Amino acid sequence: MHDHIKTRPSYTRVLFGGLALLMVVLLVRHSQLTMEHMRRGMLICVRTMIPSLFPFMVVSELVVKSGAGAMLSRYPAVLFRPLLGLPSEGVCALILGWLCGFPVGSRVAADYVRAGRLTKRQFNLIVCTCNVPSSAFLVSAVGLSLFGNAALGRWLLALTLVCALAVGVLFRFLLPRAKDWQYGVCTRLSHGDEARGQLLPAAISSAAQGMLNVCATVLLFSAFVGTLTHTLDALPVGAWARTAVYGLFELSTGVCSASALTSPAAAAVLCAAIVGWGGLSVHCQVLSVCDGCPVAMGWFWLSRALQALLCGGGMALLIRIGAVRVETLPEPTVLHELMVSGSEARVGGFAHGFGVACNVALLLALFVAARYAIKKRRDGAR
């Protein structure tokens, strides 16, 4: 175990060490501004993060602990197994990540590693593939509110999923196959370790702990990005460079800044690249819910960079062939409101319904899978 830690690439420590020093400088220099943005981050957690994420984290825990995940993804696994080489549990984590948005998929994959149902290599393949924004964020917040174009949001959602799948197929052949990559190092658990009546309380408790980690990350990056914004505004930094810095650290601020660029087409391309990257804030949320399971950081960073390039290039191609039309952008007042409230966009009817339909379909699928599993168990008992 200690040998594994010593051989970890030094560039990861340098990255987070440099980020920590930059945070210390900005947070100490702008202490009053830090408190203001911390309060704003708390509003984001209460109004946006917890209502939209916590229920799905509880559901994902129940899927893993009840054993319904393999049953749920039995038929999708027929399609994804030849592409990614994942078992049914891995396909379940992938689909939940795509439907619910990050970091749900990574959390489900980590639960399956701890249960001994996924290998370390399969776990890292899922983590590099399943982390995309939710459909509601892409269609409603980005497409409709930022660009005034729900069709662009739907294209961005489809593009993000296709690029994530392409990276997954590529990494299936690139990830190392050494012996130490064949088995997870987390403690093996079994679905029978908990009484049936304790499944829901245990799922709620585990999801609450994961939700606490996510909210703590949001608070930290809210303060950091807020002070960084104040600092960059006082420096002679161009709009493109400022947007790139915002997108590097935080997704919502990055896409808001990108949509404010003068060229609508360039704004859409840069916004797609930022969505593919995700931002260090999202990356930290993903790593926090993995809960001790080993993440290959080099491959994780590479997957995010590749998805950023593919999403940006794909959006440029869609605009070039005329599939996506980007014209005049909404007034900056909407962008300012979005940045202040943490992507609490005005949600249009179709876009909001699209996100709700995805979530309802997921819950219905879980219900059907649970009913089928219970019926099969009863028939076997007879």
Side-chain angles (χ1 to χ4, degrees):
M1 182 70 179
H2 295 289
D3 294 338
H4 173 73
I5 296 177
K6 291 180 181 178
T7 57
R8 187 169 295 175
S10 59
Y11 58 81
T12 302
R13 295 184 179 182
V14 171
L15 172 64
F16 283 104
L19 180 62
L21 292 177
L22 180 60
M23 285 184 176
V24 168
V25 173
L26 292 178
L27 298 181
V28 172
R29 182 177 177 83
H30 307 287
S31 57
Q32 186 64 32
L33 192 63
T34 297
M35 291 188 291
E36 294 179 5
H37 283 281
M38 284 287 287
R39 287 190 287 267
R40 187 172 299 170
M42 295 176 68
L43 290 178
I44 295 174
C45 292
V46 173
R47 296 179 180 178
T48 305
M49 296 297 298
I50 296 177
S52 64
L53 187 57
F54 181 70
F56 292 102
M57 295 185 73
V58 175
V59 169
S60 66
E61 287 285 336
L62 286 174
V63 166
V64 175
K65 294 181 182 298
S66 65
M71 193 69 65
L72 171 67
S73 55
R74 172 178 294 180
Y75 296 107
V78 176
L79 173 63
F80 287 101
R81 187 177 291 114
L83 294 176
L84 301 175
L86 293 174
S88 297
E89 292 84 356
V91 174
C92 176
L94 187 67
I95 293 176
L96 287 175
W98 285 354
L99 288 179
C100 305
F102 38 65
V104 174
S106 296
R107 182 173 181 82
V108 173
D111 287 338
Y112 277 127
V113 171
R114 288 191 294 271
R117 307 299 294 272
L118 291 176
T119 67
K120 177 182 175 182
R121 186 177 188 275
Q122 292 167 345
F123 166 73
N124 278 278
L125 178 61
I126 295 169
V127 170
C128 292
T129 308
C130 72
N131 290 296
V132 299
S134 66
S135 58
F137 176 79
L138 293 178
V139 178
S140 302
V142 178
L144 187 62
S145 293
L146 287 179
F147 288 89
N149 186 349
L152 185 144
R154 294 192 293 272
W155 275 108
L156 184 58
L157 173 61
L159 180 63
T160 303
L161 295 178
V162 170
C163 293
L165 180 60
V167 170
V169 174
L170 178 64
F171 274 37
R172 178 190 178 184
F173 301 98
L174 293 182
L175 286 176
R177 297 181 180 273
K179 180 179 293 186
D180 61 330
W181 274 69
Q182 297 305 310
Y183 302 97
V185 299
C186 301
T187 304
R188 289 180 63 92
L189 301 174
S190 65
H191 298 311
D193 288 341
E194 294 175 346
R196 295 179 183 178
Q198 297 177 350
L199 284 178
L200 182 58
I204 294 175
S205 177
S206 180
Q209 182 179 357
M211 193 73 248
L212 181 61
N213 292 335
V214 171
C215 289
T217 304
V218 171
L219 290 177
L220 176 63
F221 275 88
S222 294
F224 172 63
V225 175
T227 55
L228 181 65
T229 302
H230 179 78
T231 303
L232 291 179
D233 288 341
L235 298 176
V237 179
W240 282 88
R242 184 183 294 111
T243 299
V245 173
Y246 292 159
L248 174 67
F249 290 106
E250 211 276 322
L251 175 63
S252 300
T253 309
V255 295
C256 288
S257 181
S259 62
L261 297 175
T262 55
S263 173
V269 171
L270 186 55
C271 182
I274 293 174
V275 167
W277 168 250
L280 288 179
S281 175
V282 167
H283 301 166
C284 290
Q285 295 174 34
V286 170
L287 297 177
S288 68
V289 300
C290 289
D291 197 18
C293 293
V295 178
M297 295 304 302
W299 292 101
F300 179 74
W301 300 127
L302 179 60
S303 70
R304 305 315 305 174
L306 285 177
Q307 289 188 44
L309 292 175
L310 290 176
C311 288
M315 180 58 68
L317 178 62
L318 291 174
I319 294 176
R320 181 69 179 270
I321 65 177
V324 174
R325 297 182 180 275
V326 183
E327 299 177 354
T328 305
L329 300 179
E331 293 296 325
T333 53
V334 178
L335 307 178
H336 178 72
E337 178 184 351
L338 206 62
M339 294 178 70
V340 169
S341 62
S343 300
E344 286 187 77
R346 298 188 182 100
V347 179
F350 176 82
H352 179 65
F354 182 80
V356 171
C358 291
N359 297 335
V360 171
L362 171 63
L363 294 177
L364 288 177
L366 291 172
F367 176 75
V368 172
R371 287 286 303 272
Y372 182 77
I374 293 173
K375 181 179 179 181
K376 186 175 181 180
R377 182 177 298 177
R378 288 177 178 175
D379 293 340
R382 293 176 185 174

Short mmCIF file of all heavy atoms in Angstrom, two decimals, residues 20-65:
data_model
loop_
_atom_site.label_atom_id
_atom_site.label_comp_id
_atom_site.label_asym_id
_atom_site.label_seq_id
_atom_site.Cartn_x
_atom_site.Cartn_y
_atom_site.Cartn_z
N ALA A 20 -3.30 24.79 -3.91
CA ALA A 20 -3.49 25.13 -2.49
C ALA A 20 -2.82 26.46 -2.16
O ALA A 20 -3.39 27.30 -1.45
CB ALA A 20 -2.92 24.02 -1.61
N LEU A 21 -1.60 26.67 -2.67
CA LEU A 21 -0.91 27.94 -2.41
C LEU A 21 -1.67 29.12 -3.02
O LEU A 21 -1.79 30.18 -2.40
CB LEU A 21 0.51 27.87 -2.98
CG LEU A 21 1.47 26.91 -2.28
CD1 LEU A 21 2.82 26.89 -3.00
CD2 LEU A 21 1.66 27.30 -0.82
N LEU A 22 -2.18 28.93 -4.24
CA LEU A 22 -2.96 30.01 -4.87
C LEU A 22 -4.22 30.30 -4.07
O LEU A 22 -4.60 31.48 -3.89
CB LEU A 22 -3.32 29.60 -6.30
CG LEU A 22 -4.14 30.61 -7.11
CD1 LEU A 22 -3.39 31.94 -7.24
CD2 LEU A 22 -4.48 30.03 -8.49
N MET A 23 -4.87 29.26 -3.56
CA MET A 23 -6.07 29.47 -2.74
C MET A 23 -5.75 30.24 -1.47
O MET A 23 -6.48 31.16 -1.08
CB MET A 23 -6.70 28.12 -2.38
CG MET A 23 -7.45 27.45 -3.50
SD MET A 23 -8.25 25.92 -2.92
CE MET A 23 -9.14 25.43 -4.41
N VAL A 24 -4.64 29.88 -0.83
CA VAL A 24 -4.26 30.57 0.41
C VAL A 24 -4.06 32.06 0.15
O VAL A 24 -4.56 32.92 0.90
CB VAL A 24 -2.98 29.94 1.00
CG1 VAL A 24 -2.43 30.81 2.12
CG2 VAL A 24 -3.27 28.55 1.53
N VAL A 25 -3.36 32.39 -0.92
CA VAL A 25 -3.08 33.80 -1.24
C VAL A 25 -4.38 34.56 -1.50
O VAL A 25 -4.61 35.65 -0.95
CB VAL A 25 -2.14 33.89 -2.46
CG1 VAL A 25 -1.99 35.34 -2.90
CG2 VAL A 25 -0.78 33.31 -2.11
N LEU A 26 -5.26 33.98 -2.33
CA LEU A 26 -6.48 34.69 -2.69
C LEU A 26 -7.46 34.79 -1.53
O LEU A 26 -8.06 35.84 -1.30
CB LEU A 26 -7.15 33.98 -3.88
CG LEU A 26 -6.41 34.04 -5.21
CD1 LEU A 26 -7.16 33.27 -6.28
CD2 LEU A 26 -6.22 35.49 -5.66
N LEU A 27 -7.61 33.70 -0.77
CA LEU A 27 -8.59 33.70 0.31
C LEU A 27 -8.16 34.60 1.46
O LEU A 27 -9.01 35.23 2.11
CB LEU A 27 -8.81 32.28 0.81
CG LEU A 27 -9.38 31.28 -0.21
CD1 LEU A 27 -9.58 29.91 0.44
CD2 LEU A 27 -10.67 31.78 -0.81
N VAL A 28 -6.85 34.70 1.72
CA VAL A 28 -6.37 35.58 2.79
C VAL A 28 -6.41 37.04 2.34
O VAL A 28 -6.78 37.94 3.11
CB VAL A 28 -4.95 35.17 3.21
CG1 VAL A 28 -4.36 36.19 4.17
CG2 VAL A 28 -4.96 33.80 3.86
N ARG A 29 -6.06 37.28 1.10
CA ARG A 29 -6.03 38.65 0.58
C ARG A 29 -7.43 39.26 0.49
O ARG A 29 -7.62 40.45 0.69
CB ARG A 29 -5.36 38.67 -0.79
CG ARG A 29 -5.23 40.06 -1.40
CD ARG A 29 -4.50 40.01 -2.71
NE ARG A 29 -4.44 41.31 -3.35
CZ ARG A 29 -3.55 42.24 -3.07
NH1 ARG A 29 -2.63 42.01 -2.16
NH2 ARG A 29 -3.56 43.40 -3.70
N HIS A 30 -8.42 38.42 0.17
CA HIS A 30 -9.80 38.91 0.01
C HIS A 30 -10.70 38.17 1.00
O HIS A 30 -11.60 37.43 0.60
CB HIS A 30 -10.28 38.69 -1.43
CG HIS A 30 -9.38 39.25 -2.48
ND1 HIS A 30 -9.27 40.60 -2.73
CD2 HIS A 30 -8.52 38.64 -3.34
CE1 HIS A 30 -8.41 40.81 -3.71
NE2 HIS A 30 -7.93 39.63 -4.09
N SER A 31 -10.45 38.36 2.27
CA SER A 31 -11.18 37.61 3.29
C SER A 31 -12.67 37.97 3.32
O SER A 31 -13.53 37.09 3.47
CB SER A 31 -10.56 37.85 4.67
OG SER A 31 -10.54 39.25 4.96
N GLN A 32 -13.00 39.25 3.19
CA GLN A 32 -14.40 39.65 3.21
C GLN A 32 -15.14 39.10 1.99
O GLN A 32 -16.27 38.60 2.09
CB GLN A 32 -14.50 41.19 3.23
CG GLN A 32 -15.91 41.71 3.40
CD GLN A 32 -16.52 41.33 4.74
OE1 GLN A 32 -15.81 41.21 5.74
NE2 GLN A 32 -17.83 41.14 4.77
N LEU A 33 -14.49 39.17 0.84
CA LEU A 33 -15.09 38.61 -0.38
C LEU A 33 -15.24 37.10 -0.27
O LEU A 33 -16.20 36.52 -0.79
CB LEU A 33 -14.23 38.98 -1.58
CG LEU A 33 -14.82 38.74 -2.97
CD1 LEU A 33 -16.05 39.60 -3.18
CD2 LEU A 33 -13.78 39.04 -4.05
N THR A 34 -14.30 36.46 0.41
CA THR A 34 -14.38 35.02 0.61
C THR A 34 -15.64 34.64 1.37
O THR A 34 -16.35 33.69 1.01
CB THR A 34 -13.15 34.53 1.39
OG1 THR A 34 -11.98 34.77 0.61
CG2 THR A 34 -13.25 33.04 1.69
N MET A 35 -15.96 35.37 2.44
CA MET A 35 -17.16 35.07 3.21
C MET A 35 -18.42 35.28 2.39
O MET A 35 -19.38 34.50 2.49
CB MET A 35 -17.19 35.93 4.48
CG MET A 35 -16.12 35.56 5.50
SD MET A 35 -16.31 36.42 7.07
CE MET A 35 -15.90 38.09 6.58
N GLU A 36 -18.44 36.32 1.55
CA GLU A 36 -19.61 36.56 0.71
C GLU A 36 -19.84 35.40 -0.26
O GLU A 36 -20.97 34.94 -0.45
CB GLU A 36 -19.44 37.87 -0.06
CG GLU A 36 -19.42 39.11 0.82
CD GLU A 36 -19.22 40.38 0.02
OE1 GLU A 36 -19.20 40.27 -1.23
OE2 GLU A 36 -19.08 41.45 0.62
N HIS A 37 -18.77 34.94 -0.88
CA HIS A 37 -18.91 33.85 -1.85
C HIS A 37 -19.15 32.51 -1.15
O HIS A 37 -19.77 31.62 -1.74
CB HIS A 37 -17.66 33.78 -2.74
CG HIS A 37 -17.63 34.83 -3.79
ND1 HIS A 37 -18.36 34.75 -4.96
CD2 HIS A 37 -16.97 36.02 -3.86
CE1 HIS A 37 -18.15 35.82 -5.70
NE2 HIS A 37 -17.31 36.61 -5.06
N MET A 38 -18.70 32.36 0.08
CA MET A 38 -19.04 31.17 0.84
C MET A 38 -20.54 31.13 1.11
O MET A 38 -21.18 30.06 0.99
CB MET A 38 -18.26 31.14 2.15
CG MET A 38 -16.80 30.75 2.00
SD MET A 38 -16.56 29.00 1.66
CE MET A 38 -16.96 28.29 3.25
N ARG A 39 -21.12 32.27 1.48
CA ARG A 39 -22.57 32.32 1.68
C ARG A 39 -23.30 32.03 0.37
O ARG A 39 -24.33 31.35 0.37
CB ARG A 39 -22.97 33.69 2.23
CG ARG A 39 -22.59 33.91 3.69
CD ARG A 39 -23.22 35.15 4.24
NE ARG A 39 -22.58 36.35 3.70
CZ ARG A 39 -21.57 36.99 4.30
NH1 ARG A 39 -21.08 36.53 5.44
NH2 ARG A 39 -21.05 38.07 3.76
N ARG A 40 -22.76 32.53 -0.73
CA ARG A 40 -23.36 32.25 -2.03
C ARG A 40 -23.26 30.75 -2.35
O ARG A 40 -24.19 30.16 -2.90
CB ARG A 40 -22.66 33.07 -3.11
CG ARG A 40 -23.28 33.01 -4.47
CD ARG A 40 -22.62 34.00 -5.39
NE ARG A 40 -22.78 35.36 -4.89
CZ ARG A 40 -22.14 36.42 -5.39
NH1 ARG A 40 -21.27 36.25 -6.36
NH2 ARG A 40 -22.34 37.61 -4.89
N GLY A 41 -22.15 30.14 -2.00
CA GLY A 41 -21.99 28.71 -2.21
C GLY A 41 -22.98 27.90 -1.38
O GLY A 41 -23.48 26.87 -1.83
N MET A 42 -23.26 28.38 -0.16
CA MET A 42 -24.26 27.68 0.67
C MET A 42 -25.64 27.75 0.02
O MET A 42 -26.39 26.77 0.06
CB MET A 42 -24.28 28.31 2.07
CG MET A 42 -22.99 28.11 2.86
SD MET A 42 -23.00 28.94 4.46
CE MET A 42 -24.24 27.97 5.31
N LEU A 43 -25.97 28.88 -0.59
CA LEU A 43 -27.25 29.00 -1.29
C LEU A 43 -27.30 28.04 -2.48
O LEU A 43 -28.34 27.45 -2.77
CB LEU A 43 -27.47 30.44 -1.75
CG LEU A 43 -27.73 31.47 -0.65
CD1 LEU A 43 -27.87 32.85 -1.25
CD2 LEU A 43 -28.99 31.10 0.13
N ILE A 44 -26.17 27.91 -3.17
CA ILE A 44 -26.11 26.97 -4.30
C ILE A 44 -26.39 25.56 -3.82
O ILE A 44 -27.15 24.80 -4.44
CB ILE A 44 -24.74 27.06 -5.00
CG1 ILE A 44 -24.55 28.44 -5.65
CG2 ILE A 44 -24.59 25.96 -6.04
CD1 ILE A 44 -23.17 28.64 -6.23
N CYS A 45 -25.77 25.19 -2.71
CA CYS A 45 -25.96 23.83 -2.18
C CYS A 45 -27.41 23.60 -1.78
O CYS A 45 -27.99 22.55 -2.09
CB CYS A 45 -25.05 23.60 -0.98
SG CYS A 45 -23.28 23.55 -1.40
N VAL A 46 -28.02 24.58 -1.10
CA VAL A 46 -29.38 24.41 -0.58
C VAL A 46 -30.40 24.44 -1.71
O VAL A 46 -31.35 23.64 -1.75
CB VAL A 46 -29.69 25.48 0.47
CG1 VAL A 46 -31.16 25.43 0.88
CG2 VAL A 46 -28.80 25.29 1.70
N ARG A 47 -30.21 25.36 -2.67
CA ARG A 47 -31.22 25.56 -3.70
C ARG A 47 -31.05 24.64 -4.90
O ARG A 47 -32.02 24.34 -5.60
CB ARG A 47 -31.19 27.01 -4.19
CG ARG A 47 -31.56 28.04 -3.14
CD ARG A 47 -31.47 29.43 -3.73
NE ARG A 47 -31.83 30.46 -2.75
CZ ARG A 47 -31.80 31.76 -2.99
NH1 ARG A 47 -31.43 32.19 -4.19
NH2 ARG A 47 -32.14 32.62 -2.06
N THR A 48 -29.82 24.22 -5.17
CA THR A 48 -29.55 23.50 -6.42
C THR A 48 -28.97 22.12 -6.19
O THR A 48 -29.52 21.12 -6.65
CB THR A 48 -28.59 24.32 -7.31
OG1 THR A 48 -29.13 25.62 -7.52
CG2 THR A 48 -28.39 23.63 -8.65
N MET A 49 -27.83 22.03 -5.49
CA MET A 49 -27.09 20.78 -5.41
C MET A 49 -27.86 19.70 -4.65
O MET A 49 -28.05 18.59 -5.15
CB MET A 49 -25.73 21.03 -4.74
CG MET A 49 -24.81 21.95 -5.52
SD MET A 49 -24.35 21.29 -7.12
CE MET A 49 -23.47 19.81 -6.65
N ILE A 50 -28.32 20.01 -3.44
CA ILE A 50 -28.97 18.99 -2.62
C ILE A 50 -30.30 18.52 -3.24
O ILE A 50 -30.53 17.31 -3.36
CB ILE A 50 -29.17 19.50 -1.19
CG1 ILE A 50 -27.81 19.75 -0.53
CG2 ILE A 50 -29.99 18.51 -0.37
CD1 ILE A 50 -27.89 20.32 0.87
N PRO A 51 -31.20 19.43 -3.68
CA PRO A 51 -32.45 18.94 -4.28
C PRO A 51 -32.24 18.13 -5.55
O PRO A 51 -33.00 17.18 -5.81
CB PRO A 51 -33.23 20.23 -4.57
CG PRO A 51 -32.66 21.25 -3.66
CD PRO A 51 -31.20 20.90 -3.54
N SER A 52 -31.25 18.48 -6.36
CA SER A 52 -31.07 17.81 -7.64
C SER A 52 -30.21 16.56 -7.55
O SER A 52 -30.30 15.68 -8.42
CB SER A 52 -30.45 18.78 -8.66
OG SER A 52 -29.14 19.15 -8.24
N LEU A 53 -29.37 16.43 -6.52
CA LEU A 53 -28.40 15.35 -6.48
C LEU A 53 -28.68 14.32 -5.39
O LEU A 53 -28.51 13.11 -5.62
CB LEU A 53 -26.99 15.93 -6.28
CG LEU A 53 -25.81 14.96 -6.38
CD1 LEU A 53 -25.80 14.26 -7.72
CD2 LEU A 53 -24.51 15.72 -6.15
N PHE A 54 -29.11 14.77 -4.22
CA PHE A 54 -29.23 13.85 -3.08
C PHE A 54 -30.20 12.69 -3.34
O PHE A 54 -29.89 11.53 -3.01
CB PHE A 54 -29.65 14.61 -1.82
CG PHE A 54 -29.78 13.75 -0.61
CD1 PHE A 54 -28.66 13.20 -0.01
CD2 PHE A 54 -31.03 13.47 -0.07
CE1 PHE A 54 -28.79 12.38 1.11
CE2 PHE A 54 -31.17 12.66 1.04
CZ PHE A 54 -30.03 12.12 1.64
N PRO A 55 -31.40 12.92 -3.91
CA PRO A 55 -32.29 11.78 -4.16
C PRO A 55 -31.66 10.71 -5.04
O PRO A 55 -31.85 9.50 -4.80
CB PRO A 55 -33.52 12.41 -4.83
CG PRO A 55 -33.48 13.84 -4.42
CD PRO A 55 -32.03 14.19 -4.32
N PHE A 56 -30.90 11.12 -6.04
CA PHE A 56 -30.30 10.15 -6.94
C PHE A 56 -29.12 9.42 -6.29
O PHE A 56 -28.82 8.29 -6.64
CB PHE A 56 -29.86 10.83 -8.23
CG PHE A 56 -31.01 11.31 -9.06
CD1 PHE A 56 -31.37 12.65 -9.06
CD2 PHE A 56 -31.75 10.42 -9.81
CE1 PHE A 56 -32.43 13.08 -9.80
CE2 PHE A 56 -32.82 10.85 -10.57
CZ PHE A 56 -33.17 12.18 -10.57
N MET A 57 -28.46 10.08 -5.34
CA MET A 57 -27.40 9.39 -4.61
C MET A 57 -28.00 8.31 -3.71
O MET A 57 -27.43 7.22 -3.57
CB MET A 57 -26.59 10.39 -3.80
CG MET A 57 -25.82 11.38 -4.66
SD MET A 57 -24.74 12.49 -3.72
CE MET A 57 -23.43 11.38 -3.25
N VAL A 58 -29.16 8.58 -3.11
CA VAL A 58 -29.84 7.55 -2.31
C VAL A 58 -30.28 6.39 -3.20
O VAL A 58 -30.10 5.21 -2.86
CB VAL A 58 -31.05 8.16 -1.57
CG1 VAL A 58 -31.83 7.08 -0.83
CG2 VAL A 58 -30.59 9.24 -0.60
N VAL A 59 -30.87 6.72 -4.36
CA VAL A 59 -31.33 5.69 -5.28
C VAL A 59 -30.17 4.83 -5.76
O VAL A 59 -30.27 3.59 -5.85
CB VAL A 59 -32.06 6.32 -6.48
CG1 VAL A 59 -32.32 5.29 -7.57
CG2 VAL A 59 -33.39 6.92 -6.02
N SER A 60 -29.03 5.47 -6.07
CA SER A 60 -27.88 4.71 -6.54
C SER A 60 -27.36 3.77 -5.45
O SER A 60 -26.93 2.65 -5.75
CB SER A 60 -26.77 5.68 -6.98
OG SER A 60 -26.24 6.41 -5.88
N GLU A 61 -27.41 4.21 -4.19
CA GLU A 61 -27.01 3.34 -3.10
C GLU A 61 -27.93 2.12 -3.00
O GLU A 61 -27.48 0.99 -2.81
CB GLU A 61 -27.03 4.11 -1.77
CG GLU A 61 -25.91 5.11 -1.61
CD GLU A 61 -24.59 4.43 -1.31
OE1 GLU A 61 -24.61 3.30 -0.78
OE2 GLU A 61 -23.54 5.02 -1.61
N LEU A 62 -29.24 2.35 -3.15
CA LEU A 62 -30.19 1.24 -3.10
C LEU A 62 -29.98 0.27 -4.26
O LEU A 62 -30.13 -0.94 -4.09
CB LEU A 62 -31.62 1.80 -3.14
CG LEU A 62 -32.13 2.45 -1.86
CD1 LEU A 62 -33.50 3.07 -2.09
CD2 LEU A 62 -32.19 1.44 -0.73
N VAL A 63 -29.65 0.82 -5.43
CA VAL A 63 -29.41 -0.05 -6.59
C VAL A 63 -28.26 -1.01 -6.31
O VAL A 63 -28.33 -2.20 -6.62
CB VAL A 63 -29.10 0.81 -7.83
CG1 VAL A 63 -28.53 -0.04 -8.96
CG2 VAL A 63 -30.35 1.52 -8.31
N VAL A 64 -27.20 -0.49 -5.69
CA VAL A 64 -26.03 -1.33 -5.42
C VAL A 64 -26.31 -2.30 -4.29
O VAL A 64 -26.04 -3.51 -4.39
CB VAL A 64 -24.81 -0.45 -5.10
CG1 VAL A 64 -23.62 -1.31 -4.70
CG2 VAL A 64 -24.46 0.41 -6.30
N LYS A 65 -26.86 -1.80 -3.18
CA LYS A 65 -27.02 -2.63 -2.00
C LYS A 65 -28.10 -3.69 -2.15
O LYS A 65 -28.04 -4.73 -1.52
CB LYS A 65 -27.32 -1.74 -0.78
CG LYS A 65 -26.17 -0.82 -0.40
CD LYS A 65 -26.51 0.01 0.82
CE LYS A 65 -25.37 0.96 1.17
NZ LYS A 65 -24.15 0.23 1.52
#
